[in-house]
Amino acid sequence: MKMNAPSELNPIDANLHGWIGKPVDRVDGLLKVTGAATYAYEYEEGGPPLFGFVVQAGIGKGRIRAIDTAAAECAPGVMLVMTHLNAPPQAPLKVDETVPQLDSDAIRHFGQPVALIVAVSYEAARDAATLVRVDYETAAGRYTLAGSLERAKEPPPLVNPPDSRVGDFEGGFAASACTVDSRYVTPHHIHMQMEPHTTLAMWEGETLTLYTSHQWLESARKQTAATLRMAPENIRIVSRYIGGGFGSKLDAGVDLILAALAARQLRRPVKIALTRQQLFHLCPHRTETIQRVRLGADRDGRLQAIAHEIWCENLEGQTFYEPAADQTRSLYAAPHRMTSHRLAELDLPPSASMRAPGEAVGLLALECAMDELAEALGMDPIELRMRNEPAADPEKQRPFSTRNLIGCLQEGARRFGWERRNPLPAQVREGRWLIGIGMAAAIRNNPLMASKADATLALRDGKPVLTVRTAMTDIGTGSYTIFTQIAAEAMGLPLDSVVVRLGDTDFPEGSGSGGSWGAGSAGSGIYDACMNLREALGHFADRAGIAGMDAGEEGRRIALRAVLDVAGPEGISAHGELNPGDMHKKYSQFSYGAHFAEVGVDIDTGEIRLRRMLGVFTAGRILNQKTARSQAIGGMVFGVGAALTEEAVIDPACGFFVNHDMAEYHVPTHADIPAIDAIYLEEVDDKANPLKSKGVGELGICGAGAAVANAVYNACGVRIREYPLTLDKVLAGWKTND
């Protein structure tokens, strides 16, 4: 199936059985709460494993002059100490293709692996790791983005080109009656998913099996195969249950490669689990950004010129950059436009995708700049956005597949009580708290990825049971449940007659979990498999002379059993797949939303507390109201963290994340998050995929932090442009205003 034309009416539209959109409980919920869902660290395949512990570099840049492992090798229970001196040969580093470990004496960033200890227990390996002595030759490193802006270069394209230009921005901006020119800074962010990176590696001859926590199995298999110089078909990767990823598990990492190398050398299963502290330097992070936003409008609030410039960082040789200006190209109308991205090479751990890469931090700047413009114009922030609604994508000049941002703004304003907002800052007080209300728009692109699945219908204990298989993963978003609903509706079966099997490269290649493409992509592959299975059942019935396939529901059920009786215990199978086609080239596809936040700011201390929050979204057909709402609220909490608490602090002397644990890297807790609500407006998008759905996983974060920041300004009159918004910055703003 290719998406080369809008999807026609189909059984998902008819929803005769009512499974689509229903707030079905997690089908894997009981397994998880009873401990029966097996996560990567819990596998014991291949017999009792050995345990690996990674020794990390203690400098930010330089080389290993000498490494002494003698004491570690003699420690109780130690089976192997691997360093660059004895690590097996691997393919050289090639960005996005290979991830060699312990391959040279060069230290490229603080915390990179310098040794692996493998022992009979985790404790023995960890203790022996403290006995490794490394003599370094240090070199001067570059660790701050602000000090490297002059060396920043134009990066190669990601999905879109790094720069764009329409019209004459400089002329349009200079001629504008009202302008804003603001600089915003967002810090390094760490994914902080609940489950750390873990891998159990085992070999059978030349075949490698990896039980791991990974979002995109085919990507991990290709990178592992290329690194180890193996054929991909000789590697099996299993990730049935994953405790979150947020993008940190999209690429093969330290645990996969080192576990595989050690297991091959020792001919025993080897398990590596990274500690929470190790995740900060051994796994990717979201880059710091420096952003300049310039907006020019006429006196009626119609934008004449928009510019959004981004500076971000990555390790030398890496090409990923935070595409934080991409959404600015499509969100608001203006005849004169310019966006750019520049990448500075720093000696820090690699930067990579983190939940809603681009929009999550880009909207922290753009939507606050829009708030600044509204104030300068003396205009309501919602009215300003509505006046700049584009009829088509302003830069691509394509029609939108669907767009109802105005509906989200209006419904959110009505539900939140926006009319009660005092537009003048620092005017509303309750006791010692200054109260403010803010809002921001949300936008998130809607990618579609190729995905395959197979479906088999057979009798089990006299009952038709549908088994669906795909190498797609569930990172806690509800994939098992949503795919069960899609398959049940497509085949006209009850939910308990559907078994969904995920997370294994022995299954047809899935799209992976990332970029909010999972449900639409893998779900469409499953839908296609089910449609092909329906056709196969009909052909089989015709050949076998079985009647009743076109009868009513009872006749259909009876005929189905009759077909399966003849088919035998193997049942009947069909394959399906989804290919993106060219609809994304014909239409501009996004999900939209509007965030509303109310905060309190302590009049004495400057402490900021979120009081309530609402998100109103459109994202095509909602496949499960409960899981979609949960995803939206989770994203909003993510946005609150970016606004108020999250910051990975770099020691500028050696490129070390100082606050490298959950005690000092502050994610929001229950005490930080009051009542949050999220609703979806009805919508279907026949240009998106056969399900007519759009991604919801990352939409909730987009713009959420900006709504909080705008509320803080409305509460206390201090405009903070360097995130996170902390009380010391409020106090400094008050002092400056005095």
Side-chain angles (χ1 to χ4, degrees):
M1 176 188 299
K2 276 192 176 182
M3 280 302 296
N4 287 331
S7 180
E8 298 178 352
L9 289 175
N10 59 50
I12 301 300
D13 294 303
N15 202 20
L16 294 176
H17 307 279
W19 295 127
I20 301 301
K22 191 172 182 179
V24 174
D25 291 340
R26 297 285 183 96
V27 298
D28 53 333
L30 183 61
L31 295 174
K32 290 182 175 178
V33 300
T34 59
T38 307
Y39 289 84
Y41 194 76
E42 299 170 321
Y43 281 99
E44 296 290 346
E45 268 66 11
L50 300 172
F51 294 83
F53 192 90
V54 179
V55 181
Q56 297 177 264
I59 64 170
K61 187 176 180 61
R63 58 178 290 270
I64 299 172
R65 191 168 12 224
I67 184 166
D68 182 359
T69 61
E73 291 168 353
C74 295
V78 171
M79 306 294 289
L80 173 67
V81 178
M82 185 183 294
T83 71
H84 70 284
L85 299 175
N86 63 347
Q90 303 159 69
L93 175 64
K94 191 172 183 181
V95 174
D96 297 329
E97 295 184 23
T98 62
V99 281
Q101 305 296 323
L102 303 176
D103 58 329
S104 79
D105 63 358
I107 303 299
R108 304 181 68 211
H109 64 82
F110 191 99
Q112 80 173 55
V114 295
L116 175 70
I117 312 296
V118 182
V120 296
S121 70
Y122 173 82
E123 292 77 12
R126 180 190 60 195
D127 290 347
T130 65
L131 303 176
V132 175
R133 298 289 179 261
V134 186
D135 179 22
Y136 298 105
E137 179 182 303
T138 60
R142 297 166 295 179
Y143 306 123
T144 63
L145 177 58
S148 303
L149 297 184
E150 292 183 359
R151 292 191 296 269
K153 299 177 181 179
E154 180 179 338
L158 292 177
V159 175
N160 299 305
D163 293 359
S164 70
R165 185 175 284 272
V166 174
D168 174 15
F169 167 76
E170 289 78 9
F173 186 74
S176 295
C178 185
T179 62
V180 166
D181 186 347
S182 295
R183 177 183 181 272
Y184 282 83
V185 177
T186 65
H188 304 280
H189 290 154
I190 307 298
H191 297 78
M192 299 302 281
Q193 74 284 349
M194 187 174 293
E195 181 196 21
H197 294 64
T198 301
T199 296
L200 170 66
M202 53 181 290
W203 291 81
E204 295 179 274
E206 293 304 309
T207 300
L208 170 64
T209 301
L210 298 165
Y211 297 91
T212 187
S213 181
H214 207 276
Q215 296 176 228
W216 195 352
L217 303 193
E218 194 58 34
S219 170
R221 179 159 73 168
K222 289 178 180 177
Q223 290 177 321
T224 303
T227 302
L228 302 183
R229 294 191 172 107
M230 295 177 60
E233 55 267 25
N234 288 340
I235 299 176
R236 179 190 178 201
I237 298 183
V238 179
S239 295
R240 295 194 179 101
Y241 298 98
I242 303 168
F246 303 133
S248 72
K249 298 174 180 176
L250 283 171
D251 293 314
V254 169
D255 52 312
L256 270 79
I257 303 303
L258 289 180
L261 292 174
R264 181 162 59 182
Q265 187 162 331
L266 294 168
R267 309 313 297 182
R268 294 263 310 267
V270 172
K271 182 180 291 185
I272 295 176
L274 303 183
T275 68
R276 179 65 59 183
Q277 292 82 1
Q278 288 178 328
L279 299 184
F280 281 71
H281 297 98
L282 291 179
C283 302
H285 66 282
R286 194 199 300 275
T287 171
E288 177 185 5
T289 71
I290 296 174
Q291 306 182 44
R292 184 186 184 189
V293 181
R294 285 176 284 174
L295 304 174
D298 62 23
R299 284 296 173 192
D300 292 329
R302 289 180 173 80
L303 288 167
Q304 301 302 305
I306 299 176
H308 197 171
E309 298 166 273
I310 310 295
W311 290 265
C312 57
E313 56 80 21
N314 211 332
L315 180 66
E316 183 178 358
Q318 299 287 322
T319 57
F320 176 85
Y321 64 90
E322 190 79 17
D326 276 10
Q327 77 288 318
T328 306
R329 300 171 182 176
S330 301
L331 188 51
Y332 299 118
H336 307 294
R337 322 172 64 88
M338 184 268 286
T339 68
S340 72
H341 298 85
R342 293 296 178 267
L343 184 63
E345 292 184 335
L346 300 186
D347 302 305
L348 296 176
S351 300
S353 294
M354 184 171 170
R355 197 175 192 192
E359 296 98 334
V361 291
L363 289 172
L364 288 172
L366 175 64
E367 285 300 286
C368 287
M370 286 290 286
D371 203 63
E372 294 190 57
L373 181 62
E375 182 181 43
L377 288 163
M379 183 176 293
D380 182 87
I382 294 178
E383 178 63 26
L384 175 64
R385 288 164 173 81
M386 291 172 60
R387 290 192 182 187
N388 290 285
E389 175 73 3
D393 190 296
E395 297 199 15
K396 295 180 180 178
Q397 296 300 312
R398 300 173 190 164
F400 293 108
S401 60
T402 62
R403 182 176 168 115
N404 192 16
L405 174 59
I406 288 180
C408 295
L409 294 168
Q410 293 174 331
E411 183 64 14
R414 183 186 70 81
R415 288 174 177 256
F416 201 73
W418 180 258
E419 74 282 356
R420 298 192 296 273
R421 171 183 177 268
N422 190 324
L424 296 177
Q427 299 300 306
V428 180
R429 181 169 174 176
E430 292 182 8
R432 62 185 295 162
W433 295 95
L434 293 168
I435 309 303
I437 292 176
M439 60 77 55
I443 182 173
R444 171 66 184 160
N445 70 338
N446 183 54
L448 191 65
M449 306 292 283
S451 194
K452 301 176 182 178
D454 58 32
T456 300
L457 194 63
L459 289 179
R460 299 289 182 263
D461 299 324
K463 169 186 169 184
V465 173
L466 175 69
T467 301
V468 174
R469 304 189 314 159
T470 174
M472 171 64 174
T473 55
D474 188 331
I475 55 174
T477 52
S479 298
Y480 279 104
T481 306
I482 291 168
F483 298 157
T484 298
Q485 292 175 259
I486 293 170
E489 187 60 44
M491 296 302 298
L493 294 169
L495 296 180
D496 61 6
S497 292
V498 177
V499 176
V500 173
R501 301 186 65 192
L502 304 176
D504 192 328
T505 54
D506 279 354
F507 303 159
E509 182 179 340
S511 62
S513 296
S516 298
W517 64 61
S521 302
S524 294
I526 290 170
Y527 166 77
D528 189 50
C530 290
M531 291 298 97
N532 292 337
L533 179 58
R534 285 168 58 129
E535 186 175 353
L537 286 165
H539 291 325
F540 187 93
D542 291 341
R543 291 195 302 271
I546 300 171
M549 290 300 291
D550 296 323
E553 283 299 299
E554 187 64 24
R556 192 179 207 171
R557 206 155 41 238
I558 294 169
L560 191 58
R561 289 196 185 94
V563 170
L564 296 178
D565 276 333
V566 176
E570 298 300 317
I572 298 176
S573 298
H575 179 78
E577 62 182 284
L578 183 281
N579 289 307
D582 61 5
M583 291 304 287
H584 276 69
K585 299 177 182 178
K586 298 177 180 178
Y587 295 89
S588 188
Q589 297 191 21
F590 295 91
S591 299
Y592 298 94
H595 293 281
F596 295 82
E598 179 181 289
V599 305
V601 179
D602 189 285
I603 195 69
D604 296 315
T605 67
E607 176 190 2
I608 301 167
R609 303 297 296 183
L610 180 67
R611 291 161 57 98
R612 61 190 179 102
M613 197 168 184
L614 170 68
V616 179
F617 307 103
T618 59
R621 172 174 283 126
I622 302 303
L623 302 174
N624 182 313
Q625 287 288 344
K626 181 177 290 187
T627 59
R629 180 176 180 272
S630 177
Q631 284 288 289
I633 290 174
M636 292 163 70
V637 171
F638 220 109
V640 173
L644 299 182
T645 65
E646 294 193 50
E647 178 181 15
V649 180
I650 286 286
D651 181 342
C654 62
F656 169 66
F657 284 119
V658 178
N659 54 335
H660 57 286
D661 56 34
M662 293 194 76
E664 297 298 331
Y665 183 89
H666 296 152
V667 298
T669 67
H670 283 292
D672 301 310
I673 304 298
I676 285 183
D677 198 9
I679 64 169
Y680 290 89
L681 304 183
E682 288 192 12
E683 178 183 82
V684 294
D685 188 344
D686 62 355
K687 320 299 192 301
N689 54 60
L691 308 175
K692 302 175 184 176
S693 65
K694 291 182 178 180
V696 301
E698 294 163 300
L699 178 60
I701 188 177
C702 302
V708 174
N710 290 335
V712 169
Y713 175 75
N714 182 246
C716 68
V718 177
R719 178 71 71 181
I720 303 172
R721 300 183 181 88
E722 185 168 341
Y723 291 92
L725 284 59
T726 49
L727 59 85
D728 56 307
K729 296 170 185 174
V730 174
L731 295 175
W734 279 337
K735 184 176 181 180
T736 300
N737 292 342
D738 290 343

